[in-house]
Amino acid sequence: MTRTEHPWLLPSEMVDPRGPELPGDRGRPRPRRTVRDWVTDTLVFLLAAGFGMIATDTGQVAGNADGVVFLDVMLGALACCALWTRRRWPVGLAVVLALGMAVEPVASGAAMVSLFSVAVHRPFRPVAAIGLLSIVTGTVQTVLRPDPTTSFLTSLIATVLLVLLAVGWGLLVRARRQLVVALRERAVRAEAEADLRAEQAQRLARESIAREMHDVLAHRLSLLSVHAGALEFRPDAPAPEVARAAGVIRDSAHEALQDLRMIIGVLRAPGDDGNRPQPTLVTLDELVAESRAAGMKVTLDSGVADVAAVPAATGRTAYRIAQEGLTNARKHAPGTEATVVVSGGPGDGLTVEVRNAAPAGEVPRVPGSGQGLIGLTERAALAGGRFDHGPTGDGGFALRAWLPWAA
């Protein structure tokens, strides 16, 4: 039995996860009582017994014959002993004791304790029904076995107050236990949500690191791959071209190593940018100059009046898009001219477009992960912009992004 199946169960009833014993579970062993259970049940028994002893000294019992008094005492003791079964049959025991209270004043204490137990462990409907039954049987007891020292109205008021006290106290205890259970479940849920948020944050951080490493290193390594492939395909190239390609390979390897050290430094020391400024749209000219120095034909068309006014995050995203576009053009269309177009302004947004013509002849195969365009799509989406790419009508390739730029 789970809490989902019976949401009204309280912790004291959930000691046995299988719930109350069912008719087909007679041979199933039940859990042992804890020390707290024994102490509680003992105090409840003594309380009911004390109430019965007080009732024995009243005129309802003491004024009768010795045989009747003895029978009252025995029945009262039996009712008190029956309280040890209240955890197993709370409702049934409360009904039996409430009915017995009609003719047995000594059992009144046990009946009130049983009613209190039902109010703690069961919903309000059975509690109200048994409480009403107790008031009726208490009234019958006042008629059948009146106390000569007390008026009928006083006895009736006392019976109603005792029943209301038992029910109210039990409901109060039940509400407190439900509050504790709810707070405990809320704490467990909050802890699980915190773990989930931490896991999501770690996943996003890993994705950001992977995207940054790809954007930073792919540009450098593509230069290495293209020029190394050129040397492989043209072993008879003139010595100046070989020396120039070797210089580009050396410079690109050095820059890639520096970029890798920067990323590792950021990972080792959170909050440290590696003492190296992050690229923005202002440094786009340097990217184009570097590509030209590597032997690539690049045309830059910037229609932004004040490049320095572009927000740093937007400029950095635009730089990465242009960098990836030039990297792809160098890898998949070597020898063709690439065009970088940047336009826009505050309020209109920033548009970045990189186009290249179709390659002429056979293109050396350059391995790639295929994650660059996916990373650019994610970057543009995180910045609140759009990104699309695809082949052009003349067989070339183009990628275009729009990024928001607040007025």
Side-chain angles (χ1 to χ4, degrees), residues 207-246:
E207 292 177 355
S208 177
I209 293 171
R211 188 184 305 114
E212 190 69 18
M213 291 187 68
H214 177 275
D215 293 342
V216 171
L217 298 180
H219 178 72
R220 309 294 182 189
L221 298 181
S222 66
L223 290 176
L224 290 173
S225 179
V226 169
H227 285 81
L231 292 178
E232 181 182 4
F233 276 86
R234 296 188 59 189
D236 57 343
E241 292 187 10
V242 174
R244 180 171 172 274

Side-chain angles (χ1 to χ4, degrees), residues 20-21 26 82 84-95 114 118 122:
E21 183 178 11
R26 296 291 182 181
W84 291 94
T85 65
R86 67 186 180 87
R87 294 180 181 272
R88 195 163 187 176
W89 302 293
V91 176
L93 178 63
V95 171
S114 180
V118 173
R122 291 296 183 267

Side-chain angles (χ1 to χ4, degrees), residues 352-401:
V352 182
E353 185 176 2
V354 181
R355 301 188 305 268
N356 63 268
E362 184 181 359
V363 178
R365 183 180 180 277
V366 180
S369 63
Q371 299 298 314
L373 297 178
I374 297 177
L376 294 184
T377 304
E378 294 177 352
R379 278 185 179 274
L382 290 175
R386 300 183 301 271
F387 177 81
D388 58 83
H389 57 85
T392 60
D394 58 356
F397 193 84
L399 56 86
R400 186 175 187 273

